């Protein structure tokens, strides 16, 4: 192990130490309202390269640049479309990432060679303060090993990154629990590349129109170019094989019980575990998408703790923020879905 990773508190001292490390070109995992981010100075190529290395992240998967003040946006982009101004007024700071044309200030390492750049202003007060004190925009993907469920607590980050980075700042549980919405504003019409904490309805309320990229609910065909490179991989996955199961609570219970065997487990909604004869984890009530988002990644990590080998996961309703939960679980499942209603 290269580093003796320190766990810093999200207080004055912790924030100052994190900002200093970042300004010196080091990597620090920081809390945000979506998930924990693995941050580096976005303007320092070498630091950005180390993000990919320490996560084992594919080189073609670009990073999101985090800012703490709207004045930091202009130098990073070629132009600011009117929709971006309106969306920023309404949803920044918050879980919305917007794609702009990249200015020459942003190293191509950040954008994995694309001529665009993804930018977000987080609302978590500790994240805001760290960015502001570091004095530079921070490139940050989720602070997990590539492929694993995203971290929503400092303990999750330690599980994945201990020894690989100098420091983790503890800012409590991420309130939203899934990554930001990614919205491309560089085309004729706004295009949703990744669903997240800001819903399609909330975007349409501002822009009028919105195209949902096929990759949001579907699998990319062999050889096709991904608009959002990160969405093409199997991702967010525990060690177990996960299969998503559509159907009512009763249908789910009888189906899962009929599959009972060594290593078989269930991931189900709160209150629907009664009657299950296999080990299970729960991730919020069926009708509460926000709670599911808040808990989904922790639930996926707990499946490893109970040593599940094959997991049947009750499929969430893909509405509102539930679309983000569905999108992540589809990828955890490598797009394996069973429909009990058919
Ligand atoms: P993560 O940082 O792990 O939450 O992933 C960031 C997501 O944003 C990935 O799905 C990326 O593919 C996407 N992303 C980042 N920059 C761009 C960009 N310039 N164009 C399209 N998608 C992007
Ligand atoms: Mg990620």
């Amino acid at each position: 192990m290269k580093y003796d990773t320190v766990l810093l508190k999200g207080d004055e001292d912790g924030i100052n130490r994190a900002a200093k490390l970042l300004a010196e070109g080091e990597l620090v995992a920081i809390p945000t309202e979506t998930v924990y981010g693995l941050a580096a100075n976005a303007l320092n190529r070498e630091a950005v390269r180390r993000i990919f290395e320490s996560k084992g992240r594919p080189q073609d998967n670009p990073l999101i640049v985090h800012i703490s003040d709207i004045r930091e946006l202009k130098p990073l982009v070629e132009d600011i479309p009117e929709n971006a101004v309106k969306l920023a007024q309404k949803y920044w700071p918050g879980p919305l990432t917007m794609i702009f044309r990249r200015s020459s200030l942003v190293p191509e390492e950040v954008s994995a060679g694309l001529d665009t750049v993804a930018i977000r202003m987080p609302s978590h007060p500790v994240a805001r303060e760290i960015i502001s004190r570091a004095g530079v925009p921070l490139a940050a993907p989720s602070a997990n090993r590539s492929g694993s469920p995203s971290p929503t607590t400092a303990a999750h980050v330690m599980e994945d990154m201990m020894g690989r980075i100098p420091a983790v700042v503890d800012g409590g549980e991420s309130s939203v629990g899934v990554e930001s919405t990614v919205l491309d504003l560089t085309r004729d019409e706004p295009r949703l590349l990744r669903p997240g904490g800001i819903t399609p309805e909330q975007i349409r309320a501002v822009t009028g129109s919105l195209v949902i990229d096929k990759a949001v609910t579907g699998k990319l065909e062999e050889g096709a170019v991904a608009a959002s490179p990160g969405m093409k991989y199997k991702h967010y996955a525990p060690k177990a094989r996960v299969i998503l199961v559509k159907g009512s609570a009763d249908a789910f219970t009888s189906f899962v019980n009929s599959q009972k065997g060594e290593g078989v487990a269930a991931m189900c909604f709160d209150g629907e575990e009664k009657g299950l004869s296999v080990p299970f984890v729960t991730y919020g009530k069926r009708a509460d998408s926000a709670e599911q988002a808040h808990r989904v990644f922790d639930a996926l990590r707990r499946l490893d703790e109970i040593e599940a080998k094959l997991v049947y996961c009750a499929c969430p309703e893909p509405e509102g923020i539930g679309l983000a939960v569905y999108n992540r679980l589809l990828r955890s499942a490598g797009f394996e879905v069973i429909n009990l209603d058919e």
Side-chain angles (χ1 to χ4, degrees):
M1 285 206 278
K2 201 169 151 205
Y3 292 99
D4 197 4
T5 308
V6 292
L7 183 58
L8 300 170
K9 290 203 182 82
D11 59 9
E12 191 61 22
D13 178 57
I15 289 171
N16 278 331
R17 284 171 66 187
K20 185 162 177 288
L21 283 165
L22 288 161
E24 288 165 353
E26 292 289 352
L27 306 189
V28 180
I30 65 170
T32 87
E33 72 279 17
T34 57
V35 302
Y36 275 67
L38 180 58
N41 176 354
L43 307 180
N44 178 332
R45 285 169 197 276
E46 186 41 45
V48 170
R49 263 185 230 129
R50 269 189 282 119
I51 291 181
F52 287 87
E53 233 169 73
S54 64
K55 274 189 61 117
R57 185 175 176 98
Q59 292 292 338
D60 66 347
N61 191 5
L63 307 176
I64 295 170
V65 176
H66 294 72
I67 59 176
S68 61
D69 189 295
I70 195 74
R71 283 170 298 186
E72 296 161 53
L73 176 62
K74 207 163 168 223
L76 302 172
V77 303
E78 279 292 305
D79 49 18
I80 304 178
E82 205 185 310
N83 272 329
V85 176
K86 290 196 271 183
L87 286 161
Q89 274 166 355
K90 187 122 181 142
Y91 301 123
W92 275 5
L96 175 67
T97 294
M98 294 190 267
I99 311 277
F100 299 86
R101 294 202 295 138
R102 173 167 67 96
S103 83
S104 56
L105 189 67
V106 182
E108 61 183 357
E109 283 82 351
V110 170
S111 291
L114 300 173
D115 57 5
T116 51
V117 59
I119 301 186
R120 173 168 110 82
M121 188 192 295
S123 65
H124 196 297
V126 173
R128 299 280 297 284
E129 206 47 45
I130 291 173
I131 302 167
S132 145
R133 291 193 201 180
V136 286
L138 299 180
S142 49
N144 51 287
R145 296 293 299 277
S146 192
S148 311
S150 301
T152 53
T153 65
H156 293 165
V157 179
M158 284 301 234
E159 272 169 28
D160 276 24
M161 302 307 291
M162 193 148 71
R164 308 179 73 86
I165 55 174
V168 178
V169 182
D170 189 348
E173 277 180 29
S174 295
S175 57
V176 178
V178 289
E179 303 82 348
S180 59
T181 302
V182 177
L183 181 68
D184 187 352
L185 294 172
T186 64
R187 311 186 189 209
D188 293 344
E189 267 193 294
R191 176 179 285 255
L192 183 75
L193 300 184
R194 176 175 77 180
I198 298 295
T199 64
E201 298 71 31
Q202 286 176 299
I203 296 168
R204 281 201 187 96
V206 173
T207 62
S209 69
L210 176 68
V211 177
I212 313 265
D213 196 90
K214 273 204 298 207
V216 168
T217 54
K219 190 177 174 180
L220 203 69
E221 279 155 36
E222 199 77 43
V225 177
S228 179
M231 287 283 96
K232 76 184 180 205
Y233 300 104
K234 175 165 180 188
H235 208 144
Y236 316 113
K239 293 192 185 81
R241 172 178 172 203
V242 177
I243 300 176
L244 214 46
V245 181
K246 289 186 184 168
S248 66
D250 287 343
F252 180 80
T253 305
S254 26
F255 172 75
V256 173
N257 287 346
S258 75
Q259 303 297 309
K260 186 175 174 180
E262 172 75 28
V264 174
M267 179 159 151
C268 69
F269 299 115
D270 286 5
E272 299 186 5
E273 63 274 29
K274 293 183 285 294
L276 277 176
S277 58
V278 302
F280 61 84
V281 303
T282 63
Y283 73 110
K285 289 206 176 72
R286 190 178 278 262
D288 190 347
S289 297
E291 177 70 7
Q292 291 161 26
H294 181 69
R295 286 173 45 193
V296 66
F297 286 130
D298 182 66
L300 288 167
R301 279 178 186 261
R302 276 186 295 124
L303 291 168
D304 284 339
E305 283 167 23
I306 65 171
E307 295 182 3
K309 300 282 173 285
L310 172 59
V311 176
Y312 293 103
C313 175
C315 187
E317 205 53 59
E319 296 301 323
I321 192 172
L323 181 63
V325 181
Y326 175 64
N327 169 279
R328 304 310 188 273
L329 285 172
L330 254 185
R331 281 161 180 79
S332 310
F335 297 90
E336 270 193 278
V337 182
I338 293 173
N339 191 345
L340 300 177
D341 296 332
E342 276 173 357

